[in-house]
Amino acid sequence: MKSMYDPKGGKQMVASAKKDGGVNHSCNDETTISARQADPHSHALVLDPFVGRVAYVPDLGFRGRSTLRLVQSISTIPSAFPTTMNTCGRICVHKSGRFVIVSNRGHQSITVFKVKTKGSKRGELQNVGCYHTRGETPRHFQFDHSGQYLLVANQDTDSITVFNFNLSNGELKYSGNEYRVPSPNFVCCCPTHQEDDTIQSSSEILSESMVVSSSAVDAYDGSSCSDSEDSTVPVHRGQSSEQSLKEELAQAKLEIEALKKLLAEKV
């Protein structure tokens, strides 16, 4: 269960106005955006999903005084790569709470950190690896709902690449799947379980309808009118019963065709 820790006790949090100049992050007009992008700043902030008291912030050169207590500062790129040629894009905590993932625009990579869960350094990060995104400017990325696949939006190379995510050690591996998308800057994974359930139910109904219609044909065309152990529909004697059976068979065929069309649309 995720933590419900709230340091404000349910009160609304609003950024205070700047008294001595600078950028007021409560505003989002063009002037504010321009000023914010011109100066070093914290690009994002995410809380760990379990303790709720550890904040992870991709720092774009911020040198001011923070109201948060600094626990750790760790680089997202190799030491040999110039920091002036890279900025962080997005940061997120894996749904397991065990990994923190950051994108590097410039180094063109995704860096994975493992969260320490024991001892005095609980909540601190340990570098797992840095993985090239097979594109330029990884503006955004997103895990699928299983947490086993990472989709990366490479904004300046018009592509989305898919990586396999190892839930055990946090390593990324290119899946071989890449999609051409004009300047992608956001990835959203929409749940499709309702649609899958609909397709599955339709498939089951189609299968059952085929069994019933097949049994009906066997019963109608057979020389015997008695029920058999394998029959799935009751077989009645008499001319009226035969006419009723023909009508049921015709209706079953119509339902099968309708279900085939529904399945084709879903796929």
Side-chain angles (χ1 to χ4, degrees):
M1 181 177 180
K2 295 186 177 181
S3 172
M4 299 298 292
Y5 175 77
D6 182 3
K8 295 288 290 183
K11 297 179 181 179
Q12 184 180 6
M13 298 182 68
V14 180
S16 59
K18 293 285 186 178
K19 297 181 179 179
D20 301 319
V23 179
N24 181 359
H25 290 272
S26 295
C27 301
N28 205 34
D29 55 87
E30 293 184 2
T31 302
T32 301
I33 294 174
S34 177
R36 184 166 62 230
Q37 295 299 328
D39 295 331
H41 62 283
S42 300
H43 194 262
L45 182 149
V46 296
L47 293 176
D48 77 282
F50 294 98
V51 180
R53 304 184 68 170
V54 180
Y56 301 107
V57 183
D59 182 6
L60 303 189
F62 179 67
R63 294 294 179 269
R65 184 176 180 180
S66 174
T67 57
L68 301 175
R69 180 173 63 90
L70 179 63
V71 175
Q72 180 190 26
S73 179
I74 187 170
S75 177
T76 63
I77 55 176
S79 58
F81 194 85
T83 57
T84 55
M85 297 177 62
N86 183 75
T87 57
C88 293
R90 182 180 186 241
I91 184 171
C92 82
V93 180
H94 188 265
K95 62 187 301 183
S96 67
R98 298 176 58 224
F99 302 98
V100 172
I101 299 88
V102 184
S103 64
N104 297 300
R105 300 173 296 180
H107 190 253
Q108 325 301 5
S109 63
I110 295 289
T111 301
V112 180
F113 299 98
K114 185 175 183 179
V115 180
K116 298 178 181 179
T117 58
K118 297 180 180 180
S120 59
K121 294 186 178 181
R122 181 185 180 188
E124 293 189 13
L125 304 178
Q126 178 180 352
N127 193 301
V128 172
C130 194
Y131 306 89
H132 194 270
T133 62
R134 307 179 72 87
E136 296 182 4
T137 315
R139 182 66 179 83
H140 198 266
F141 60 86
Q142 187 71 268
F143 281 100
D144 77 313
H145 290 280
S146 72
Q148 300 182 70
Y149 298 96
L150 184 71
L151 292 81
V152 182
N154 296 304
Q155 187 173 29
D156 290 343
T157 48
D158 303 330
S159 66
I160 291 180
T161 50
V162 183
F163 294 85
N164 295 312
F165 183 77
N166 191 314
L167 297 175
S168 176
N169 55 28
E171 293 182 353
L172 288 176
K173 184 177 180 181
Y174 178 53
S175 68
N177 296 314
E178 183 175 343
Y179 303 92
R180 311 307 300 177
V181 178
S183 189
N185 55 51
F186 189 84
V187 180
C188 178
C189 295
C190 301
T192 59
H193 61 275
Q194 292 181 346
E195 181 177 334
D196 292 341
D197 291 343
T198 302
I199 295 176
Q200 182 178 3
S201 300
S202 300
S203 300
E204 292 173 354
I205 294 172
L206 176 59
S207 176
E208 292 174 1
S209 298
M210 287 183 172
V211 171
V212 171
S213 62
S214 177
S215 301
V217 170
D218 292 341
Y220 175 70
D221 291 341
S223 59
S224 174
C225 291
S226 62
D227 292 343
S228 67
E229 294 181 357
D230 296 331
S231 178
T232 57
V233 293
V235 180
H236 305 284
R237 298 178 177 85
Q239 186 174 358
S240 60
S241 297
E242 291 181 1
Q243 181 64 30
S244 176
L245 184 58
K246 288 182 180 180
E247 294 176 355
E248 291 179 4
L249 181 57
Q251 182 64 30
K253 288 181 178 180
L254 292 176
E255 292 178 358
I256 290 173
E257 292 301 322
L259 288 170
K260 285 182 178 179
K261 292 181 180 180
L262 177 62
L263 289 174
E265 293 175 356
K266 293 294 182 181
V267 174

